[in-house]
Amino acid sequence: MTTTQSPSDSAPAGRTPRGSARDKLIAAAHQEVRRQGYAATTVEQICAAAGVTKGAFFHHFESKEALAVAAAEAWTERARPMFEMLPHTRLQDPLDRLLGHIDFRFSLLHGPVDGFTCFIGTMVQDAYATSEPIRLACEASIAAYCDALAPDIDAAIAAYGAPDGMTGLDLARHIQSVLQGGFVLAKTTNDPAIARESVAHLTRYVRMLFGGGGRSVAG
């Protein structure tokens, strides 16, 4: 699963995240990799951001790669409330739930770029060709996101109809592609506005697919 960048609840730079040493290291990895990429992030930087020693790091993780895999799994869990707890998940109409999800992602696109971009998307761009465990962990996270989003899309297809051959999983992957592309564009300009523009277009596209049904606040 990927957020999104999911809700941006990592500790600000220089502030030690709460929790156990392992949790602190994972939170610091989320923070530092989103800020500067996986390849450029060192174990020393992660330890400093977490406020723990290298000894504590190697007590929990045998390598930076092992931490990255654990951090990918934690990122997936961190995104789960987007599909279980937020108000839009309780809407009756599946298209409203889908548009509510996209609206929620739109609402996160503000502030410093490294505060809302995706840990998974950032890391896999660096490491997909050099670390198979990281690539697989990122693949699993993105697949989990798409699998969680697909049922509402399938229900919307059943209720509203859709172009021939389109499936819920297809559209879920497209939504993920637009979000990840928006993050990249935001990095090129160091400005969230261009990512918001992409997601607003996504809302319009989804509504057109379903004949203009549903309601949305972002587009």
Side-chain angles (χ1 to χ4, degrees):
M1 227 172 270
T2 174
T3 108
T4 171
Q5 88 359 263
S6 61
S8 52
D9 56 3
S10 60
R15 184 181 301 175
T16 303
R18 297 178 181 179
S20 69
R22 187 179 190 277
D23 291 339
K24 291 176 182 180
L25 287 163
I26 287 173
H30 290 162
Q31 172 184 296
E32 294 303 305
V33 169
R34 286 198 292 170
R35 184 173 66 86
Q36 61 185 7
Y38 174 77
T41 299
T42 66
V43 169
E44 289 79 9
Q45 288 169 332
I46 292 170
C47 290
V52 304
T53 65
K54 284 186 71 175
F57 178 97
F58 287 109
H59 174 74
H60 292 284
F61 303 104
E62 64 181 19
S63 63
K64 187 175 81 165
E65 180 183 65
L67 169 60
V69 170
E73 294 167 353
W75 189 263
T76 304
E77 290 304 309
R78 181 171 136 171
R80 198 170 300 280
M82 289 193 293
F83 302 97
E84 296 176 352
M85 297 174 60
L86 296 176
H88 68 262
T89 65
R90 296 189 290 274
L91 296 173
Q92 183 173 3
D93 188 314
L95 182 54
D96 285 343
R97 293 196 297 270
L98 174 60
L99 292 169
H101 175 84
I102 297 172
D103 287 347
F104 172 71
R105 302 307 301 263
F106 181 93
S107 75
L108 297 177
L109 301 175
H110 59 84
V113 170
D114 61 2
F116 64 78
T117 49
C118 179
F119 168 74
I120 295 295
T122 300
M123 183 165 67
V124 76
Q125 289 178 66
D126 268 6
Y128 78 95
T130 57
S131 171
E132 185 70 357
I134 291 176
R135 187 195 67 75
L136 290 171
C138 291
E139 179 186 26
S141 184
I142 288 178
Y145 174 91
C146 294
D147 288 344
L149 195 57
D152 277 344
I153 302 174
D154 284 328
I157 291 171
Y160 288 88
D164 290 343
M166 191 182 89
T167 69
L169 190 57
D170 292 339
L171 183 54
R173 289 170 177 156
H174 178 68
I175 289 169
Q176 180 63 216
S177 296
V178 172
L179 293 170
Q180 294 293 343
F183 300 149
V184 171
L185 289 174
K187 290 175 180 177
T188 66
T189 59
N190 200 29
D191 185 349
I194 194 167
R196 290 197 298 268
E197 179 182 273
S198 293
V199 176
H201 279 300
L202 175 62
T203 294
R204 297 183 190 107
Y205 172 70
V206 169
R207 294 192 66 176
M208 285 190 293
L209 279 176
F210 294 105
R215 61 191 184 191
S216 172
V217 298

